[in-house]
Amino acid sequence: MNRLNLSAFLVLALQVSLMLNLSQLGLHAGDTPPWAVLKGAPDQSPLPGTQQLTDPSDLSAKMIQGIDQFLLKQIALAAENRAQNWNCDISSPAAYEKSIVPQKQELMRILGISDPLVPGRFAYLESTPQKIANDFAVYEVTWPVLDDLQGAGVLLVPSGKIRGDIIAVPEASQTPEDLVYSKQPGGSYAQQLARSGFRVLIPTMINRELNQWNLSQREWLHRAAFELGRTLAGYEVQKIQAGVKLLQQTSGDSSRPVGIIGWGEGGRLALYAAALDSEIDVAAVCGYFGPRENLWQEPADRNVFGLLNSLGDAEIASLVAPRSLIIENGTFPEYGYRTTAEGKLEVIDDHYPKMKGKPGKLLVPSQQEVRDEFARARQFVADLKTETPCLTLIEANEAIGDKTLQALISSLDDDATLSTEVKPVELKTRSYTAQRHAGQLAEIERHNQRLLQLAYESRIDFMQNLKTGSLDEFKKTVEPYREIFKKDVVGEYALKLLPTNARTRKYQEGPQTVSYQVEMDVFPDVTAYGILTLPKDLKLDGSEKRPVVVTQHGLEGRPRHTVGEEKYAAYKSFSTHLAERGFITFAPQNPYILFDRFRTLQFKAQSIGRTLFSIAVPQHQQFTDWLKAQPFVDGSRIGFYGISYGGKSAMRIPPLVDNYSLSICSADFGEWVWKNAATDQRSLRYSYVNKGEYEIFEWNLGGTFNYAEMAALICPRPFMVERGHFDGVEPDDRVAQEFAKVRFLYQAQLGIGDRTTIEWIKGPHAIHEQGAYDFLHQHLNWPVPEKSE
């Protein structure tokens, strides 16, 4: 090939490459990409009526940092205010127990303990137990818990007189056999208890080993359970409670006492079980007790929605009274997932890690922190008159020391003496530990999937008080559901919004538009940031008022992505294009940016019964209030249009911000609960259960609000779905199934079918710029420009 032909070939190749790239961006040859015509503003003057924005920093990162500071202060405030939720009657033990019933019910609710235990009996998996030196026998047993869930573990039965029954709960890293004999911390003590004359039931706990998706087994099960209003800890507490009942039933002596002891995760579960089950006479908690305000740093499976609003460890300890609780101030287990060599959480802000789960570690408090939390617990019961102390603190330099064990068995039987004999024991059952654990894990996974199937009917029952006989009746009866959504699902901060103190500066100009960066105050430490784009022919003096479209970016997006600088393939510069059609647009920064930095915010918020949308909702309230106050804005015509995570926002923010007159959900609408809880192989392509978005799970949406129910909170305002056939978010049939319920509400029940629609697009995960634009023109009452018809 000569030089001339080579040059021609290169030119042709370049033209073909350019055409392909333009096609991917939704452009055609001859079109000008918007970032080629949008240029930096020649000056940075503010919008008339606002202050000058001078902060040169990354305003999005600044916002995330401010939210972080706000949440840490809210967690501290929750700890200070917890005592206000308690009204205990200490006039007598009976009166005290009656007075703390609401707190116990709250603990059950947030652990997801709602399904009744089923009756049954121990199943002995071998007819002949293993005898240990004629001192005790070892049985492998299972026992029923729920309809499709059972406990499994080992039962130690002394050869001589049985003084009492004890549930010994392993740390997550331990097998039941480790409690019979192991050289590791927290091991072998069950052998001592059996030799001391106590029957000991040791349940299998789900461990923290990593599965094929690099998630701990505990986080894997907890994710789906949380979405369905359950927790892994709740399941395990119910296994303990069922074990307690069967120990009592098989004791042959109704007066035989029952105790519980655990270390690490076992200590946590022992504390919860003793707080909730009055049949447990005494509990020993080792390697867990301490201040809980850093719950957000712990592994994901320890996340309990709203725990810190009313229940720290001290408060839960007080629920055991007037029964006895022993706290061992000794050795704590250590564990970290995505932690640094120094034990800090691995927090990144610019990429997905190979490990897809939440960074987490087991908290190891100082001995003084344990003493301080114990002192808080004592304050609740200090004046309660009981025969024996309700609370005992044992100082130790080990995990489950002899002093703790002696205190436990003495509380069960005054004459009991602890055996200090610990011998190596080769248990036959040890060869079954992996199989037993796999069976327990599979059962919980199947149980979660059964709950997922039942959730459809649960939501129907939940929404049964919504009346659709008339539009007025609907508006009246939907309000209680909006309150539930605001307070119990999204979470609300009962705080007054600060003055906006709006700061602005010119950002970009195009042939037809001019944009401003806008920052304003919301709560102390919390700002709102976005880009306001105005048509150049808009009169700012108030002689005309135009509608506004709030254009919401997706995951890891920024306001500038929607105006056309970057990521045009997904966003199509829709903020700018809508402004070219005559709309005012505002592109907010929502708080789902900077990877782990925002995801850990979710866990901080959830620890006090809030979510990221507890921040986003007041942010949107603040800037839509500000927009309404502008002389050139028609405050009755403000629409919301969000894509991807912005589509998720379209389902959660407009229900709670009545400034929005309509909502468009793009590239997100579907069977959201299924997407967050399904674990079968066909569903895992779409499900978040095995993905890196570990913050995505929301408490009990399965039993309350899927997307159709959220759309009902938007109704009777116009609502639209923009759906690409080749969008990998969900399959078409799932989207159609969920939207059918929305259509039925609007059209069949309320007779306002013209206010809702779905546009099916032969396209990917992207803004389409056709049906949604028509919807905005129609329902915001703004004429379609002639050149766009």
Side-chain angles (χ1 to χ4, degrees):
M1 183 180 294
N2 61 41
R3 185 175 301 175
L4 181 61
N5 289 339
L6 177 61
S7 298
F9 174 78
L10 290 175
V11 169
L12 177 62
L14 182 61
Q15 289 175 336
V16 170
S17 175
L18 179 60
M19 290 174 65
L20 288 173
N21 288 333
L22 288 172
S23 176
Q24 291 173 353
L25 295 177
L27 302 173
H28 305 285
D31 288 351
T32 304
W35 53 86
V37 296
L38 291 176
K39 302 182 182 302
D43 66 83
Q44 293 192 340
S45 58
L47 183 73
T50 66
Q51 301 178 41
Q52 178 71 53
L53 175 59
T54 59
D55 190 339
S57 68
D58 181 338
L59 298 179
S60 300
K62 173 187 175 183
M63 187 190 83
I64 294 297
Q65 179 62 32
I67 294 172
D68 192 10
Q69 295 171 359
F70 172 80
L71 289 175
L72 291 175
K73 291 176 182 177
Q74 290 296 310
I75 291 171
L77 189 61
E80 294 176 9
N81 293 337
R82 277 201 293 265
Q84 299 176 10
N85 299 324
W86 291 74
N87 186 24
C88 301
D89 185 347
I90 58 173
S91 61
S92 70
Y96 180 82
E97 285 191 280
K98 184 178 179 179
S99 70
I100 60 175
V101 167
Q103 283 77 24
K104 289 188 175 186
Q105 291 174 335
E106 174 65 4
L107 180 57
M108 289 180 64
R109 185 188 70 81
I110 61 181
L111 287 176
I113 299 176
S114 56
D115 302 310
L117 299 176
V118 297
R121 60 183 63 186
F122 284 124
Y124 297 87
L125 303 188
E126 291 188 2
S127 58
T128 304
Q130 181 181 358
K131 296 283 188 178
I132 306 297
N134 294 320
D135 292 330
F136 60 93
V138 180
Y139 297 83
E140 184 164 19
V141 295
T142 63
W143 61 97
V145 181
L146 304 176
D147 285 340
D148 55 355
L149 202 63
Q150 64 179 1
V154 299
L155 178 66
L156 312 184
V157 181
S159 301
K161 176 185 176 181
I162 298 179
R163 296 178 175 275
D165 293 319
I166 296 174
I167 304 267
V169 192
E171 211 301 287
S173 61
Q174 296 175 317
T175 67
E177 286 74 13
D178 289 337
L179 272 58
V180 181
Y181 182 72
S182 171
K183 293 183 179 180
Q184 299 301 315
S188 304
Y189 71 87
Q191 179 183 160
Q192 291 180 259
L193 294 173
R195 293 184 188 278
S196 304
F198 291 86
R199 191 167 54 152
V200 184
L201 178 63
I202 314 173
T204 297
M205 297 292 105
I206 301 300
N207 64 39
R208 301 189 190 94
E209 292 180 6
L210 301 184
N211 62 17
Q212 59 186 307
W213 298 287
N214 279 329
L215 295 171
S216 79
Q217 305 280 24
R218 294 188 67 82
E219 181 170 357
W220 163 255
L221 293 178
H222 182 77
R223 285 181 170 193
F226 192 82
E227 189 79 10
L228 298 166
R230 310 298 194 276
T231 64
L232 177 58
Y235 290 148
E236 292 177 328
V237 166
Q238 288 189 288
K239 291 184 179 185
I240 292 168
Q241 291 177 315
V244 168
K245 290 185 181 298
L246 289 180
L247 287 174
Q248 291 176 318
Q249 291 174 14
T250 57
S251 69
D253 180 1
S254 61
S255 64
R256 184 190 292 178
V258 178
I260 189 169
I261 184 172
W263 182 61
E265 196 65 36
R268 176 188 181 225
L269 296 171
L271 178 62
Y272 289 172
L276 295 175
D277 194 338
S278 60
E279 298 300 317
I280 296 174
D281 298 289
V282 59
V285 174
C286 312
Y288 174 74
F289 193 79
R292 203 53 53 189
E293 280 61 56
N294 286 325
L295 175 64
W296 62 273
Q297 294 187 27
E298 298 189 65
D301 62 279
R302 287 193 172 181
N303 185 31
V304 178
F305 188 72
L307 177 70
L308 300 184
N309 282 339
S310 55
L311 297 165
D313 283 6
E315 286 81 7
I316 298 175
S318 73
L319 298 181
V320 180
R323 295 163 290 130
S324 296
L325 174 63
I326 301 159
I327 303 295
E328 181 184 83
N329 191 1
T331 301
F332 285 67
E334 296 186 10
Y335 167 82
Y337 175 89
R338 292 187 55 203
T339 54
T340 66
E342 296 78 24
K344 296 181 179 180
L345 300 186
E346 178 195 40
V347 178
I348 56 178
D349 60 11
D350 60 353
H351 67 282
Y352 281 105
K354 292 181 180 179
M355 310 288 271
K356 295 181 179 179
K358 173 193 176 293
K361 63 180 182 179
L362 298 183
L363 300 179
V364 180
S366 68
Q367 288 197 323
Q368 188 56 51
E369 286 176 320
V370 175
R371 295 183 193 113
D372 291 344
E373 190 71 8
F374 181 82
R376 279 209 321 114
R378 286 287 299 271
Q379 292 176 0
F380 289 98
V381 297
D383 296 326
L384 183 62
K385 305 300 181 185
T386 57
E387 294 182 3
T388 57
C390 297
L391 289 167
T392 302
L393 181 66
I394 294 178
E395 302 281 357
N397 295 315
E398 54 195 330
I400 308 190
D402 288 353
K403 189 175 180 181
T404 300
L405 294 173
Q406 182 63 63
L408 172 68
I409 65 174
S410 294
S411 297
L412 295 171
D413 186 331
D414 292 338
D415 298 325
T417 300
L418 180 69
S419 170
T420 58
E421 184 178 7
V422 175
K423 294 182 178 180
V425 176
E426 293 294 333
L427 294 179
K428 295 178 182 179
T429 61
R430 195 177 286 276
S431 62
Y432 307 133
T433 55
Q435 180 181 350
R436 185 194 307 133
H437 181 273
Q440 291 283 280
L441 189 149
E443 275 191 3
I444 294 175
E445 184 176 340
R446 286 195 298 270
H447 180 72
N448 282 338
Q449 296 312 289
R450 178 169 173 264
L451 290 176
L452 176 58
Q453 293 176 336
L454 296 174
Y456 180 90
E457 297 295 331
S458 297
R459 292 192 298 275
I460 292 175
D461 292 341
F462 172 70
M463 298 295 291
Q464 63 182 336
N465 292 326
L466 183 63
K467 307 302 180 185
T468 58
S470 69
L471 201 53
D472 287 340
E473 186 180 42
F474 172 81
K475 290 178 180 179
K476 180 179 179 180
T477 58
V478 79
E479 283 306 314
Y481 288 101
R482 190 171 284 113
E483 283 298 302
I484 293 171
F485 187 67
K486 177 170 65 175
K487 294 180 179 179
D488 298 339
V489 177
V490 169
E492 177 189 30
Y493 292 106
L495 298 173
K496 185 178 180 180
L497 294 173
L498 296 175
T500 56
N501 188 29
R503 287 92 61 194
T504 69
R505 63 182 168 220
K506 274 188 182 179
Y507 178 58
Q508 286 181 331
E509 285 194 44
Q512 302 176 55
T513 63
V514 59
S515 296
Y516 292 84
Q517 288 184 309
V518 182
E519 185 184 47
M520 61 188 69
D521 300 327
V522 180
F523 293 145
D525 298 314
V526 179
T527 57
Y529 162 64
I531 294 177
L532 176 70
T533 302
L534 305 176
K536 280 189 172 179
D537 63 353
L538 171 67
K539 298 178 176 64
L540 301 182
D541 59 3
S543 58
E544 66 167 329
K545 293 181 181 290
R546 294 197 190 181
V548 178
V549 181
V550 172
T551 49
Q552 190 62 67
H553 62 77
L555 180 64
E556 295 298 334
R558 292 173 179 262
R560 70 171 187 260
H561 297 155
T562 74
V563 301
E565 289 188 358
E566 303 171 47
K567 302 189 178 181
Y568 187 81
Y571 293 111
K572 300 294 190 298
S573 188
F574 70 134
S575 293
T576 300
H577 288 176
L578 285 167
E580 290 171 345
R581 288 171 165 261
F583 294 103
I584 299 165
T585 65
F586 186 84
Q589 176 68 67
N590 262 14
Y592 36 79
I593 187 173
L594 302 181
F595 293 83
D596 285 324
R597 295 191 187 278
F598 91 80
R599 292 192 163 95
T600 54
L601 296 183
Q602 177 81 317
F603 285 84
K604 290 172 184 173
Q606 288 185 340
S607 73
I608 51 174
R610 302 333 194 273
T611 65
L612 284 173
F613 286 101
S614 304
I615 299 292
V617 166
Q619 286 177 321
H620 280 249
Q621 186 68 54
Q622 185 76 312
F623 64 67
T624 55
D625 284 346
W626 176 78
L627 285 167
K628 287 177 66 174
Q630 301 310 302
F632 46 83
V633 169
D634 183 343
S636 66
R637 293 186 290 165
I638 301 178
F640 189 103
Y641 184 6
I643 175 175
S644 194
Y645 221 119
K648 182 183 178 187
S649 301
M651 304 307 303
R652 291 160 179 79
I653 295 174
L656 303 179
V657 179
D658 59 11
N659 287 338
Y660 285 121
S661 60
L662 64 81
S663 183
I664 301 175
C665 177
S666 174
D668 189 74
F669 187 89
E671 223 281 50
W672 184 258
V673 172
W674 166 80
K675 184 173 175 62
N676 283 272
T679 58
D680 62 278
Q681 288 302 312
R682 287 182 179 272
S683 300
L684 285 177
R685 171 185 172 186
Y686 304 101
S687 176
Y688 279 122
V689 174
N690 63 340
K691 304 298 192 301
E693 287 87 348
Y694 58 83
E695 89 298 340
I696 209 84
F697 307 95
E698 296 160 282
W699 172 247
N700 196 26
L701 285 191
T704 55
F705 297 94
N706 206 345
Y707 272 14
E709 289 76 29
M710 292 184 199
L713 304 182
I714 297 170
C715 184
R717 292 169 288 173
F719 173 71
M720 179 185 173
V721 172
E722 188 177 58
R723 161 69 189 176
H725 288 304
F726 298 105
D727 188 338
V729 168
E730 284 194 37
D732 275 353
D733 58 338
R734 294 280 181 175
V735 177
Q737 174 183 313
E738 193 69 11
F739 185 76
K741 292 182 280 185
V742 179
R743 179 69 183 175
F744 182 74
L745 172 65
Y746 274 78
Q747 171 67 31
Q749 294 181 299
L750 298 178
I752 53 172
D754 60 322
R755 300 187 194 180
T756 191
T757 190
I758 183 170
E759 183 187 22
W760 299 94
I761 304 156
K762 191 176 180 180
H765 191 76
I767 291 290
H768 189 227
E769 295 196 297
Q770 291 185 22
Y773 285 10
D774 293 339
F775 192 81
L776 290 168
H777 281 291
Q778 176 188 355
H779 292 288
L780 294 181
N781 192 24
W782 185 254
V784 178
E786 291 184 6
K787 65 179 181 180
S788 300
E789 291 180 340

